[in-house]
Amino acid sequence: MAKNPVKITETVLRDGHQSLLATRMRISDMLPQLAALDAIGYNSLEAWGGATFDSCLRFLDEDPWERLDILKKNLKTPIQMLLRGQNLLGYNHYSNDVVEKFVQKASEHGIGVFRIFDALNDIRNLKVAIDAALKCPEKPHVQGCLVYTISPVHTNESFVELAVELEKMGCHSVCIKDMSGLLKPYVAEDLVKKLKAAVKIPIDLHTHCTSGFGHATYLKAVEAGVDIIDTALAPFSSDTSQPCTETMVAMLEGEERDTGLDRQAMTPISKYFLGVKQDLIKTFNLKGYFDVNPNVLDFQIPGGMLSNLANQLKEAGMEDKYQDLLDEMPRVRKDVGYPPLVTPSSQIVGTMATFNVMTGERYKMVPTEFKDLARGKFGRTPVEIDRKFLTDTLGIAPEDIIDDCSIEDAKATTFAEFKEELKNKGYINPSDEDVLSYALFPQVAEEFFQKHYKPITAYVKE
């Protein structure tokens, strides 16, 4: 056994199918292999958060809280979730008490590792969620993220500064979250070395294979001393997903950082999930694979977004404008202060770029969310946005420009107010979990409730 084995976080139950199959894996697809996954010896199993909550309610007719209960019942390996700080799992900023209640309930239902990030790397948007997770009586592991991106203002040194702040905030580990596969192997080596020298807590690396760098980036990071890497079992790996679990385990066998995991034990699990993949592609009419595209270094769109943007153009009869869209993304990103492109900033910038291409005139139609990002409602952008662009191009009044997003969060709807809204709709005694589902996705959650709770006035589940 290696003295310093690399730990593995397995993503097949969350990011693997989110990246390749639009988050359509059902709990019934997972259940037959939970015992086998549990026996492997993973550091954690990423199985909740990200887009899974929305997908459960919107597409799969599942209660995400019940899914988590089933996972908890069947797993001893820590269950990991991805949480967007003050955004939670929705697309708005939520009041502090909603964030605190959500974290508390997620911990109660079985989350053992909270991976917490903010799309702008604004530390103010991480504080409430991190503090709430640290206070949970179940003592979950709290991991803070550096959302990795490349721009004229982002450097390895700036990411190290953020990691130092996360350690001071009480995080138990730091994750380099490379959602678009932008991290080059030798840059990863340098970043990991600098992080290991600056902080005492473990370093986790999460990347995607969109650019083709994935496995090489992990190898250099491992050589530099990274503690944990995120991988997906073969059928749900590579392309726009994570590097392959079996490949990385085999790559390190017999070496100084040998994972110690049994690759042969993974084979039947992978065979099963290959069948799941084929079934989901057929059931939901999905593509299921994506080509490696090194030009992601320029347009920086996360893997899960590429197919959605292409589909929007196709529906509008403008498929031939796809390359124009990829060219427009970096220009819009520059205009709005070089935000890292990850949910929700990636969707906001992507939609704006799509409007610019489809109308043939830049900023002729400007969505409210783009104005909110530009005026500071989501936090501080890496580069201050030109005031003339804000006022003249986007039509934002000077008094609407926000310096402190936390003041805006304080004005957001409270948990008690969301609960009262549900009661006024006829749901007599909603659970805290259902109030949270409603807070995140009001229309989708209500449609789910109407289908599963009858009669509404009694709020009794069938």
Side-chain angles (χ1 to χ4, degrees):
M1 179 70 180
K3 292 182 180 178
N4 186 21
V6 177
K7 295 178 181 178
I8 300 279
T9 288
E10 176 59 59
T11 68
V12 69
L13 302 181
R14 205 284 298 178
D15 205 1
H17 67 99
Q18 179 169 322
S19 294
L20 296 180
L21 293 179
T23 331
R24 294 299 195 272
M25 194 186 292
R26 302 153 296 203
I27 188 63
S28 58
D29 299 316
M30 304 175 188
L31 196 52
Q33 292 299 316
L34 293 182
L37 286 167
D38 207 26
I40 294 293
Y42 289 117
N43 176 67
S44 60
L45 286 164
E46 192 200 37
W48 212 63
T52 61
F53 197 100
D54 184 3
S55 187
C56 278
L57 292 169
R58 192 184 301 268
F59 302 116
L60 304 179
D61 197 32
E62 287 184 31
D63 185 327
W65 299 101
E66 289 184 0
R67 172 182 286 201
L68 186 50
D69 289 340
I70 293 169
L71 291 167
K72 179 184 179 182
K73 184 179 178 181
N74 288 277
L75 293 169
K76 293 185 179 67
T77 305
I79 301 166
Q80 182 169 312
M81 80 164 294
L82 182 65
L83 190 74
R84 303 178 198 131
Q86 208 75 23
N87 282 135
L88 293 177
L89 302 176
Y91 299 96
N92 303 301
H93 272 205
Y94 299 93
S95 66
N96 291 351
D97 71 326
V98 171
V99 174
E100 290 162 352
K101 179 71 78 171
F102 187 94
V103 170
Q104 173 198 334
K105 286 296 173 182
S107 179
E108 284 178 15
H109 282 265
I111 294 300
V113 181
F114 284 92
R115 173 175 290 174
I116 304 172
F117 78 93
D118 175 62
L120 299 179
N121 283 325
D122 190 331
I123 211 89
R124 297 170 301 179
N125 293 332
L126 298 170
K127 188 176 189 318
V128 175
I130 287 173
D131 286 349
L134 289 171
K135 291 174 184 172
C136 288
E138 297 81 9
K139 303 292 183 188
H141 181 100
V142 183
Q143 184 179 84
C145 288
L146 327 168
V147 177
Y148 184 81
T149 189
I150 49 181
S151 80
V153 297
H154 289 92
T155 63
N156 279 358
E157 288 72 21
S158 68
F159 289 121
V160 170
E161 289 173 11
L162 179 55
V164 170
E165 289 300 312
L166 291 170
E167 185 177 39
K168 287 178 183 175
M169 291 171 76
C171 289
H172 303 125
S173 63
V174 168
C175 175
I176 306 165
K177 180 174 170 54
D178 177 28
M179 61 283 168
S180 298
L182 306 175
L183 187 57
K184 298 176 181 178
Y186 291 102
V187 178
E189 179 182 36
D190 178 67
L191 177 55
V192 170
K193 284 181 178 178
K194 284 183 166 73
L195 288 169
K196 295 295 288 183
V199 299
K200 294 182 174 64
I201 54 180
I203 307 299
D204 190 332
L205 177 54
H206 172 96
T207 194
H208 291 246
C209 294
T210 317
S211 62
F213 290 144
H215 296 83
T217 291
Y218 274 177
L219 184 58
K220 295 307 292 184
V222 167
E223 291 174 351
V226 80
D227 300 282
I228 309 160
I229 54 175
D230 291 11
T231 62
L233 287 168
F236 283 90
S237 74
S238 303
D239 296 353
T240 49
S241 182
Q242 280 71 61
C244 175
T245 306
E246 297 97 316
T247 300
M248 290 309 306
V249 169
M251 198 182 293
L252 298 171
E253 280 173 358
E255 303 299 329
E256 185 182 349
R257 304 293 312 279
D258 191 331
T259 66
L261 302 183
D262 183 355
R263 182 168 49 88
Q264 302 298 333
M266 298 174 186
T267 302
I269 309 175
S270 268
K271 284 181 178 177
Y272 169 83
F273 279 115
L274 177 59
V276 168
K277 181 180 182 180
Q278 292 166 341
D279 174 61
L280 294 178
I281 288 171
K282 184 177 179 181
T283 301
F284 294 102
N285 192 27
L286 300 166
K287 182 178 178 182
Y289 71 92
F290 297 90
D291 296 327
V292 164
N293 189 345
N295 293 328
V296 71
L297 294 168
D298 303 315
F299 56 75
Q300 299 197 25
I301 302 172
M305 264 190 71
L306 285 171
S307 58
N308 289 328
L309 289 173
N311 196 49
Q312 285 177 23
L313 290 175
K314 184 178 180 181
E315 288 175 356
M318 302 178 73
E319 287 178 90
D320 59 322
K321 298 289 187 183
Y322 185 59
Q323 187 58 50
D324 292 341
L325 172 59
L326 298 186
D327 293 340
E328 178 65 1
M329 282 287 290
R331 292 192 285 262
V332 174
R333 181 173 179 247
K334 180 181 179 182
D335 288 342
V336 80
Y338 291 108
L341 296 182
V342 66
T343 304
S345 59
S346 53
Q347 285 82 355
I348 294 169
V349 172
T351 301
M352 187 69 257
T354 304
F355 280 3
N356 287 353
V357 169
M358 290 172 72
T359 62
E361 185 178 338
R362 304 190 80 220
Y363 305 112
K364 181 181 181 181
M365 293 172 57
V366 183
T368 301
E369 291 80 7
F370 187 79
K371 288 185 179 182
D372 285 344
L373 175 63
R375 70 189 183 92
K377 187 175 180 182
F378 290 99
R380 188 184 296 116
T381 53
V383 172
E384 187 175 350
I385 302 169
D386 180 67
R387 287 280 168 137
K388 192 173 174 63
F389 173 76
L390 291 174
T391 56
D392 295 2
T393 306
L394 301 184
I396 297 171
E399 61 269 21
D400 289 333
I401 296 171
I402 297 166
D403 292 321
D404 189 348
C405 57
S406 61
I407 294 173
E408 289 298 303
D409 298 339
K411 300 175 187 175
T413 307
T414 65
F415 182 83
E417 288 168 342
F418 279 123
K419 189 167 187 174
E420 194 61 30
E421 273 185 38
L422 269 182
K423 286 183 177 180
N424 290 339
K425 290 174 181 285
Y427 298 94
I428 301 303
N429 189 28
S431 67
D432 287 352
E433 291 80 358
D434 286 335
V435 174
L436 290 165
S437 297
Y438 175 75
L440 265 58
F441 303 103
Q443 184 178 345
V444 174
E446 200 174 348
E447 288 173 2
F448 182 86
F449 297 159
Q450 286 171 358
K451 186 173 180 179
H452 290 273
Y453 295 95
K454 295 177 182 178
I456 283 180
T457 51
Y459 204 70
V460 175
K461 195 166 189 179
E462 280 199 329

